[in-house]
Amino acid sequence: MLNVWGRVESGAVWCGAVRLAVVWARVSRRPAPGRRLSPLSPLSPLSPLSARSPTDGDSAPVMADDSEEYNKPTKSGKLHNVLPVWGNEQTMNLNPLILANIQGSSYFKVHLFKLKTYHEVVDEIYFQVKHLEPWERGSRKTAGQTGMCGGVRGVGAGGIVSTAYCLLYKLYTLRLTRKQLNGLLTHTDSPFIRSLGFMYVRYTQPPNDLFDWYREYLGDEEAVDPRAGGGQPTTIGNMARHMLTKLDWFSTLFPRIPVPIQKQIEMKLAEYDRQNSSKTNWKNDQNSVQPPPDKYPRERNERRADRDRDSRSDRSSRTDRDRERFDRERDRDRSRTDRDRDRERDRNRDHDRERDRYKNRDRSPRDKRYR
């Protein structure tokens, strides 16, 4: 009888302990007064962990729309700083001939290899880029080619790849962030810096995002001449529209845009033109484009003055070094000439002494007899 009573008493104690543990867990999970719950908290009505069935007693109902909206995957747009890369990540979607010439050029392998930061590459673009064609002017000859290689874009013998495309591929090797790319598109120092930013977008970004990248620049009137040697002035807005609607870019091609996305882009362009019909005159002849007034005169002039000052100081120091090198070489040549002249004079003197010695030597009796 005592054993049975002890078992009943121990069971009652165990049930009481379980009830106390449950009550303590509920009290500890209750939020403090004034505390705001995050969406990830299990107690938050937006958290998927708080979703319960309608038969859970006094539990609060969960808004299905809010939870679905919270769990909806975010679209990769301009909210993230990491840029996606569309297409071939090894070639940057460049023409194989252009890519091979870039990777084999001494300018890319030697000079650009020393540039390690984004700002150094931007400065190099400011000083070196003069056009946006893939080949330097007159370096690629296709007139003598016949058959399948005759006059075909990107096929046949390559020439000297342009500085612009070398720097474009250098930017790709740096894996630009979204902030850096926006910095290129809005740069105030040179239109070629902005143009390389637009080309970077066209070569690397997904086709679905192209119109979003170019939309706010379609009405930009800053002048730029992309042709080697000049002669084809246009505006940033016209160039952005060209990149959205056409594949041809001088002697190469941009990556192809799928047909459904291309139709969507054309519809968005038509809608943009209807909304900005009074501001956009992109159908005019590109050769009649006049350079618009500078939007950023003060900033552009200050940065240009700083860079020109640095360039002049580098040029003057280089001139001084060249002058010192010339003076050293001139002194070395002069001393070498003096040594040669002294050596020749000593040689002539020795020769004269030998001749005199031969004339004044004692003659033999036979020579005296015939003398």
Side-chain angles (χ1 to χ4, degrees):
M1 187 67 180
L2 292 176
N3 293 335
V4 174
W5 178 254
R7 292 180 181 178
V8 172
E9 187 177 4
S10 62
V13 172
W14 183 82
C15 292
V18 171
R19 289 182 179 178
L20 286 176
V22 172
V23 172
W24 176 255
R26 289 183 178 178
V27 172
S28 62
R29 292 180 61 185
R30 184 175 302 171
R35 177 186 174 188
R36 297 182 62 184
L37 298 178
S38 65
L40 297 180
S41 175
L43 299 179
S44 174
L46 297 180
S47 174
L49 298 178
S50 64
R52 300 179 183 177
S53 62
T55 61
D56 284 347
D58 56 348
S59 60
V62 179
M63 299 297 292
D65 296 337
D66 293 343
S67 63
E68 292 178 0
E69 182 179 358
Y70 178 75
N71 293 326
K72 186 182 298 183
T74 57
K75 185 177 180 181
S76 61
K78 293 188 176 181
L79 301 178
H80 303 286
N81 198 30
V82 179
L83 283 174
V85 177
W86 180 78
N88 193 331
E89 296 186 3
Q90 301 296 329
T91 64
M92 192 191 159
N93 302 314
L94 289 171
N95 183 280
L97 181 63
I98 296 177
L99 180 62
N101 279 269
I102 290 174
Q103 294 175 345
S105 66
S106 59
Y107 176 70
F108 179 79
K109 294 189 298 183
V110 178
H111 184 72
L112 296 186
F113 179 77
K114 302 176 183 178
L115 306 182
K116 302 298 183 182
T117 64
Y118 162 79
H119 297 287
E120 291 177 346
V121 178
V122 171
D123 290 341
E124 185 72 12
I125 295 173
Y126 177 84
F127 285 114
Q128 300 300 331
V129 175
K130 305 301 179 185
H131 64 88
L132 301 175
E133 290 192 25
W135 307 102
E136 293 296 342
R137 185 180 182 184
S139 64
R140 185 167 180 263
K141 305 295 183 180
T142 58
Q145 300 178 14
T146 58
M148 296 181 62
C149 296
V152 180
R153 292 183 299 269
V155 179
I160 301 175
V161 70
S162 67
T163 306
Y165 267 74
C166 288
L167 287 164
L168 179 65
Y169 189 70
K170 179 63 179 181
L171 288 172
Y172 179 72
T173 59
L174 296 178
R175 289 296 191 269
L176 298 183
T177 62
R178 193 174 301 274
K179 181 178 180 181
Q180 291 173 340
L181 185 53
N182 283 321
L184 288 179
L185 299 180
T186 58
H187 213 282
T188 60
D189 287 355
S190 171
F192 292 111
I193 299 177
R194 303 183 65 194
S195 302
L196 283 184
F198 289 113
M199 293 173 65
Y200 188 93
V201 170
R202 186 62 179 86
Y203 273 108
T204 63
Q205 295 306 294
N208 288 324
D209 300 338
L210 291 180
F211 187 80
D212 296 334
W213 279 105
Y214 290 140
R215 177 182 176 83
E216 57 182 311
Y217 304 103
L218 293 175
D220 198 310
E221 297 182 353
E222 185 174 6
V224 62
D225 194 344
R227 179 177 291 279
Q232 190 177 343
T234 184
T235 62
I236 294 293
N238 288 339
M239 186 178 65
R241 186 179 294 270
H242 177 94
M243 293 180 182
L244 283 174
T245 57
K246 297 182 180 180
L247 296 178
D248 295 335
W249 183 253
F250 295 100
S251 59
T252 185
L253 295 174
F254 286 128
R256 293 188 179 274
I257 301 176
V259 175
I261 299 177
Q262 185 67 51
K263 292 181 179 179
Q264 294 177 6
I265 291 176
E266 292 176 357
M267 294 174 59
K268 292 178 180 178
L269 284 174
E271 181 66 23
Y272 176 85
D273 293 336
R274 284 194 296 269
Q275 295 177 358
N276 301 273
S277 58
S278 60
K279 300 179 181 180
T280 306
N281 297 320
W282 61 273
K283 292 184 179 180
N284 295 337
D285 187 9
Q286 293 182 351
N287 294 329
S288 63
V289 175
Q290 299 295 330
D294 200 344
K295 291 184 179 180
Y296 315 98
R298 182 176 180 180
E299 297 179 7
R300 189 187 298 273
N301 292 335
E302 289 178 356
R303 296 188 182 184
R304 185 174 297 167
D306 294 340
R307 292 186 176 180
D308 292 343
R309 188 184 308 111
D310 296 339
S311 178
R312 285 195 301 270
S313 62
D314 295 340
R315 194 182 303 113
S316 62
S317 61
R318 192 181 303 112
T319 304
D320 295 338
R321 290 195 300 269
D322 294 341
R323 186 182 299 109
E324 292 176 359
R325 187 182 304 109
F326 175 76
D327 293 339
R328 288 197 302 270
E329 293 178 354
R330 184 183 57 188
D331 296 338
R332 185 168 55 253
D333 294 339
R334 184 178 301 167
S335 61
R336 187 181 299 112
T337 303
D338 295 339
R339 288 197 304 270
D340 293 340
R341 185 172 58 252
D342 295 339
R343 190 179 298 109
E344 184 68 22
R345 186 173 61 248
D346 295 339
R347 189 182 299 112
N348 293 335
R349 186 183 300 111
D350 294 339
H351 180 70
D352 294 340
R353 288 178 179 176
E354 290 292 334
R355 187 178 55 194
D356 295 340
R357 188 180 300 110
Y358 176 78
K359 287 182 178 180
N360 297 329
R361 77 178 188 277
D362 295 338
R363 297 182 177 274
S364 62
R366 184 178 178 181
D367 293 337
K368 291 180 180 180
R369 186 173 55 191
Y370 289 102
R371 186 176 179 182

